[in-house]
Amino acid sequence: MSAENVLTVRGLTKHYLGGSRLRGTQHVVRAVDGVDLRIAAGEILGLVGESGSGKSTVGRCVTRLTTPTSGTIELLGKDISRRSQRQLRPLRREVHIVFQDPYSSLNPRMTIGEIIAEPLRQQGIRSRRERDLGVAEMLERTGLRQEMRTRYPHELSGGQRQRVALARALIRRPRLVVADEPVSALDVSVQASILNLLLELQRDLGFSCLFISHDLSVVEFISDRIAVMYLGRIVETTSRERLFREPQHPYTQALLSAAPVPDPALARGRERVILRGDLPSAAAMPAGCRFHTRCPVAVDRCRTDDPALVGVTAPDHLVACHLVEPGRGAPDITAVRRADADHST
Ligand code: SF4
């Protein structure tokens, strides 16, 4: 591994059997199908894509809540992709996951203090005083009142419950936090306060983060780098600034065209690209480029050749599209849509 990477993932796949063997409808679902990614120390990588793109499965693989089918996952230089749960135990404190629904992820029979202290208990810290001090610190860091330690999850609001989930995730000072849609179950007004809290905690504690979301504006707010995922693969990845300034992949361009813009004048001048059809099933992957069934600029080659993820405009800007090459501008999908519209009138 490169010394500065906390997480390095290469060729990750997660395939599983769907359908029914009895009814003869069994098939292979390729939920994750060859993902490479890396996260440097102290970096937040946003992983964005539609529901069904496989991004949550990537999160479950890198935290080893599920075992990958193939590929390697290096956490702090150690390959954890094939380790047994017992072998993983020493590394468990280095990675923690925060789930979308803070209510179902908190044990309703435990008090808030017990929930936050649970990772310390699992780590074998027997001293009650030490655990209490850790809980008090995390309550303060996450903006919760000390008296809340005796309350139960159902007595808290959704935002407070997600603060508890963050306190529990960070009490052992993990080097990597996987946040899987951590604000999508919350009211919009609460989302901003949780995102700001996550950024503040990340600045203070210095952990790396894989932030998974379907919402591009949330990912833009929080990430240093962004990886765009489509049907089990990364199709574009680069810094946040570059992705929003120079999106290259037609799918990224379509996502950006649909993202809300705070400036009404800018919003009026922007053309929205609505993709045809739904995301194909991971059980019936299209041949060639997996985006070709919805791509407004697809050419013949796209139906047969699978494009590799390669550097195009800068070493850290990788794109998987036959039409994106060094020295050639990105395909303008809005121009193609305009030409289609003119043609049909
Ligand atoms: Fe579209 Fe072809 Fe590029 Fe895939 S390879 S994104 S189908 S142009």
Side-chain angles (χ1 to χ4, degrees), residues 121-185:
R121 211 187 316 271
Q122 287 168 358
Q123 195 184 321
I125 294 179
R126 291 174 194 274
S127 157
R128 172 105 190 239
R129 185 180 143 69
E130 206 176 322
R131 292 201 305 263
D132 284 351
L133 283 172
V135 170
E137 185 202 341
M138 291 318 299
L139 285 170
E140 190 173 334
R141 280 191 184 275
T142 52
L144 293 166
R145 294 191 306 278
Q146 295 294 327
E147 75 213 38
M148 283 187 177
R149 67 168 63 216
T150 56
R151 305 257 190 94
Y152 287 87
H154 73 269
E155 298 176 75
L156 272 53
S157 68
Q160 288 170 330
R161 286 196 290 260
Q162 203 55 302
R163 285 171 189 265
V164 171
L166 283 172
R168 177 181 61 177
L170 297 172
I171 196 165
R172 286 198 290 189
R173 302 291 188 272
R175 298 284 305 279
L176 175 68
V177 172
V178 175
D180 188 1
E181 301 270 12
V183 295
S184 56

Side-chain angles (χ1 to χ4, degrees), residues 108 123 126 131 210 214 225 232 309:
Q123 195 184 321
R126 291 174 194 274
R131 292 201 305 263
L210 175 62
H214 68 282
R225 276 192 308 121
L309 187 68

Side-chain angles (χ1 to χ4, degrees), residues 235 248-251 288-299 301-303 305-307 320-324 331 333:
V235 295
Q248 300 285 309
H249 196 280
Y251 179 59
C289 173
R290 52 196 66 200
F291 185 55
H292 86 256
T293 56
R294 301 168 81 194
C295 181
V297 290
V299 293
R301 185 183 173 196
C302 305
R303 291 169 189 76
D305 297 357
D306 195 0
C321 172
H322 295 310
L323 300 190
V324 179
I333 60 170

Side-chain angles (χ1 to χ4, degrees), residues 35 96 98 113 131 149 152 177 191 236 238 262 280 293 304 309 345:
V35 162
H96 206 108
V98 176
R131 292 201 305 263
R149 67 168 63 216
Y152 287 87
V177 172
Q191 286 186 2
E236 182 162 9
T238 188
T293 56
T304 51
L309 187 68
T345 51

Side-chain angles (χ1 to χ4, degrees), residues 75-112:
L75 178 68
L76 301 169
K78 298 186 175 69
D79 186 353
I80 61 165
S81 49
R82 304 273 147 236
R83 289 195 183 195
S84 67
Q85 290 304 319
R86 204 170 122 258
Q87 291 168 327
L88 282 171
R89 215 171 286 150
L91 279 169
R92 277 278 170 228
R93 63 171 299 175
E94 304 293 1
V95 56
H96 206 108
I97 189 163
V98 176
F99 293 103
Q100 173 179 359
D101 182 353
Y103 194 63
S104 61
S105 67
L106 305 180
N107 187 332
R109 285 183 287 279
M110 290 169 77
T111 65
I112 300 307

Side-chain angles (χ1 to χ4, degrees), residues 239-291:
S239 67
R240 172 187 55 184
E241 294 77 15
R242 193 181 287 275
L243 190 92
F244 279 81
R245 197 178 60 231
E246 303 167 19
Q248 300 285 309
H249 196 280
Y251 179 59
T252 313
Q253 291 183 38
L255 283 185
L256 283 180
S257 81
V261 179
D263 180 343
L266 264 182
R268 271 195 298 277
R270 201 169 65 171
E271 267 181 78
R272 180 164 180 193
V273 177
I274 297 172
L275 293 174
R276 291 167 298 194
D278 296 324
L279 189 73
S281 164
M285 202 67 82
C289 173
R290 52 196 66 200
F291 185 55

